[in-house]
Amino acid sequence: MENILLLEYLCQEHTNLTDEEIRTIEDISRNLPLIADLNQANVFIDCPTKEGKYAIVVAEAVPTTAKSVYKNPVVGKFAYESFEPAVFFTLRTGKNMFLNRALTQEGRTVEQSVVPIKGVHNQVIGTLIMEKDISEKLYHQDKMKALSEATETLSEILIGMTTDRPIIPEVIEEALFFIDPQGSILYYNPAAINLVSEVCSTDCTFGAQIETYFPCLKDVFYSPEELLVTELEILRKSFQVKKISLGQKAEGTFIIFRDMTELREKERELVLKSVAIREIHHRVKNNLQTVASLLRLQMRKGVSEDSKVHFIESLNRVLSIAHVYEIILSNSSVDDVEIYSLIEKIGNMLVYSGDVEHKDIKIKYSGPILTVKSNKAVSMALIINELIQNCMKHAFVGRAKGSIEVSFGVTKGSLFLSVTDDGVGYNAAAIPSLGLDIVKMMTEHDLSGKFSIRSNDVGTIASVKFPIERE
């Protein structure tokens, strides 16, 4: 009963489903435990959210006949298209998707099948999803593939060794040793000679114990694993070490060293650069917040009504740029900004937190999941701020309420952004606006795009379009 009540609450709170459609979802949810046990899989119902940007898990069942894919319940969590494309494909098209691979919110690879749930008018109101954990299956597949490739390569190596033509091991960059079950070296290639000389300052000789040169290999060599890949630190250098046992018939083991020092150093440099960039973004955001606080403080100290409007406009511009860095710091990427979140933050700040003279102004947003680099995001933030602020200032003069719609998308390699209101319309003969001058300048000079503004049937529409460069 609690599950049904929770399902009903989630559907009412986050979706546009009717009461009849919610009843349909509830009827299906009652059978989820049986479906989960029968298929030895986790089963879920996802429904599209009101804005269509995400899907939300409204019901789930964990099998008692198999291990669950998830450690924690996922009812009430949002699903994203980047992780579960099959779910969104089915929501949009109403088509089935079977045995599709997906990544769970806990980072596990699963085999996912999705079928649509349809309402009385045959429209898709949700999806029924079955997921099975295939992480272990993929691990064994990769292991077998690697073992197969290694066996094929080693067969060629062995043929070369027996015909006194060891062509392959002579030219590969990795240090290669062939060792008997007692740990004695039976073969080594030129790269192995150089490695021993570098690490031990001595010559590599046939019959010597591999542990004499590399004591750290003891655990690797005596490991029961036929194929083992690990990483070791030797003389402050990083090596990837592969151990390949050829089994009882061949009675030998290959040990292969690959120098990973340069790669690991580059990885460390990238991490340090990422940390430094995030720290710079954090300081920029804090500095912008400080400027905003100083502007607010100056306004509290007393400014004339004529000056107050200019202070508010400047404050909004500073905060719009600060939102760019807030979004960067909340993401894993150090330079990508999600446009929908940026528009939403700026729009809500201006409409719901600003001085709207007690007017009832509504704002809504529409657009795909799309990111741009931070330099373009700063320009976009100022453009969005000026266009919405222009609506708030001029569109609803003499009116008690109004609405604004901000939409964006991509077409033919260009990003378009439009801000539409149902206000009094655009007066081209009016006194030039600083805000619109800023929009025009930033669109043309910073984004190499075009800006236009005109009256439409019910108000004003302002549009910006600029090319998206592939980076």
Side-chain angles (χ1 to χ4, degrees):
M1 185 63 182
E2 291 182 0
N3 292 337
I4 296 297
L5 291 175
L6 178 57
L7 184 153
E8 186 175 350
Y9 166 76
L10 291 173
C11 289
Q12 292 173 346
E13 183 72 16
H14 297 284
T15 75
N16 291 319
L17 298 180
T18 65
D19 291 341
E20 185 176 4
E21 290 169 340
I22 294 174
R23 298 291 88 76
T24 300
I25 298 292
E26 289 176 354
D27 291 341
I28 295 174
S29 72
R30 292 186 175 92
N31 295 315
L32 291 190
L34 187 62
I35 298 172
D37 285 343
L38 182 62
N39 292 280
Q40 295 183 316
N42 288 65
V43 184
F44 312 89
I45 295 177
D46 285 13
C47 293
T49 55
K50 292 178 180 178
E51 67 277 7
K53 187 178 179 183
Y54 313 111
I56 186 169
V57 183
V58 299
E60 70 173 331
V62 176
T64 59
T65 54
K67 187 177 180 181
S68 175
V69 172
Y70 296 84
K71 293 180 181 179
N72 302 308
V74 295
V75 170
K77 293 188 179 295
F78 292 102
Y80 302 90
E81 185 168 5
S82 55
F83 293 119
E84 301 188 57
V87 173
F88 287 83
F89 174 82
T90 299
L91 285 172
R92 283 194 293 265
T93 66
K95 296 181 179 180
N96 302 320
M97 288 287 286
F98 293 109
L99 304 180
N100 184 68
R101 287 187 183 177
L103 189 66
T104 71
Q105 297 181 13
E106 295 177 359
R108 304 181 73 172
T109 304
V110 295
E111 196 170 68
Q112 186 184 73
S113 295
V114 187
V115 295
I117 300 173
K118 296 185 178 181
V120 291
H121 301 296
N122 206 38
Q123 79 278 16
V124 178
I125 61 174
T127 56
L128 180 62
I129 306 162
M130 182 178 73
E131 293 182 350
K132 287 187 177 182
D133 188 359
I134 58 170
S135 301
E136 189 172 347
K137 177 182 175 182
L138 291 177
Y139 169 76
H140 288 298
Q141 285 179 351
D142 292 342
K143 187 174 179 180
M144 289 303 298
K145 181 180 178 182
L147 190 57
S148 176
E149 291 175 352
T151 301
E152 184 178 348
T153 302
L154 293 174
S155 297
E156 296 177 0
I157 292 172
L158 289 172
I159 291 171
M161 290 169 61
T162 56
T163 57
D164 295 326
R165 294 173 60 194
I167 298 173
I168 296 175
E170 296 296 317
V171 297
I172 62 175
E173 295 181 359
E174 291 86 352
L176 173 68
F177 299 89
F178 184 58
I179 305 165
D180 69 13
Q182 287 72 45
S184 299
I185 300 174
L186 301 180
Y187 172 80
Y188 50 80
N189 69 347
I193 296 174
N194 295 335
L195 178 63
V196 171
S197 176
E198 180 183 357
V199 172
C200 305
S201 300
T202 186
D203 295 332
C204 186
T205 57
F206 291 106
Q209 292 287 305
I210 189 72
E211 292 180 42
T212 303
Y213 302 130
F214 308 104
C216 57
L217 280 183
K218 183 175 181 180
D219 292 338
V220 174
F221 182 70
Y222 290 107
S223 169
E225 296 278 347
E226 291 183 349
L227 175 63
L228 179 64
V229 180
T230 187
E231 196 160 315
L232 298 174
E233 292 285 332
I234 302 174
L235 293 181
R236 296 183 181 179
K237 299 187 75 174
S238 298
F239 291 92
Q240 183 191 70
V241 180
K242 296 180 183 178
K243 170 211 167 184
I244 306 169
S245 297
L246 300 184
Q248 296 180 352
K249 292 183 179 179
E251 292 187 349
T253 300
F254 278 92
I255 301 291
I256 304 171
F257 288 80
R258 172 178 287 183
D259 191 344
M260 307 290 285
T261 307
E262 185 176 353
L263 177 61
R264 295 293 175 257
E265 188 61 35
K266 288 181 179 178
E267 289 176 351
R268 281 192 286 269
E269 289 176 3
L270 285 174
V271 170
L272 290 173
K273 287 180 180 178
S274 297
V275 171
I277 291 171
R278 294 190 75 84
E279 178 62 22
I280 291 170
H281 287 332
H282 187 73
R283 292 186 182 185
V284 170
K285 188 203 79 169
N286 286 348
N287 288 339
L288 290 170
Q289 296 286 6
T290 300
V291 173
S293 298
L294 291 173
L295 288 172
R296 290 194 188 98
L297 182 61
Q298 183 64 47
M299 290 169 65
R300 291 194 195 100
K301 290 293 184 180
V303 294
S304 65
E305 287 300 317
D306 291 339
S307 301
K308 184 178 179 181
V309 65
H310 301 300
F311 271 86
I312 292 175
E313 289 176 354
S314 299
L315 176 63
N316 289 336
R317 287 166 186 148
V318 171
L319 291 176
S320 295
I321 299 175
H323 286 322
V324 173
Y325 295 95
E326 285 179 11
I327 294 173
I328 291 175
L329 292 170
S330 66
N331 294 337
S332 57
S333 171
V334 296
D335 199 37
D336 290 332
V337 180
E338 207 270 295
I339 297 177
Y340 191 100
S341 299
L342 178 63
I343 292 173
E344 191 175 41
K345 278 180 175 288
I346 295 173
N348 290 348
M349 173 189 73
L350 295 173
V351 174
Y352 301 126
S353 304
D355 181 11
V356 295
E357 299 177 349
H358 307 291
K359 295 178 187 281
D360 181 17
I361 308 299
K362 305 293 183 184
I363 186 167
K364 62 179 182 178
Y365 317 95
S366 62
I369 298 176
L370 185 66
T371 60
V372 295
K373 295 302 179 183
S374 59
N375 59 333
K376 282 187 169 57
V378 169
S379 299
M380 286 189 67
L382 286 171
I383 290 170
I384 294 161
N385 173 78
E386 297 302 332
L387 292 179
I388 297 177
Q389 202 162 240
N390 190 65
C391 292
M392 302 293 295
K393 188 175 180 181
H394 302 292
F396 310 114
V397 175
R399 298 191 179 191
K401 61 181 182 179
S403 64
I404 302 171
E405 180 177 1
V406 185
S407 60
F408 68 94
V410 176
T411 177
K412 296 181 180 179
S414 294
L415 189 148
F416 67 86
L417 169 73
S418 65
V419 178
T420 307
D421 65 65
D422 60 353
V424 297
Y426 175 63
N427 182 7
I431 299 173
S433 163
L434 173 61
L436 295 182
D437 287 343
I438 291 173
V439 173
K440 188 174 187 297
M441 179 190 68
M442 303 208 77
T443 302
E444 294 178 354
H445 295 282
D446 292 1
L447 301 177
S448 301
K450 294 182 179 180
F451 166 63
S452 65
I453 182 169
R454 58 182 174 80
S455 293
N456 61 6
D457 295 338
V458 293
T460 304
I461 178 169
S463 301
V464 169
K465 187 176 182 180
F466 61 90
I468 297 180
E469 300 170 356
R470 295 188 177 274
E471 301 188 34

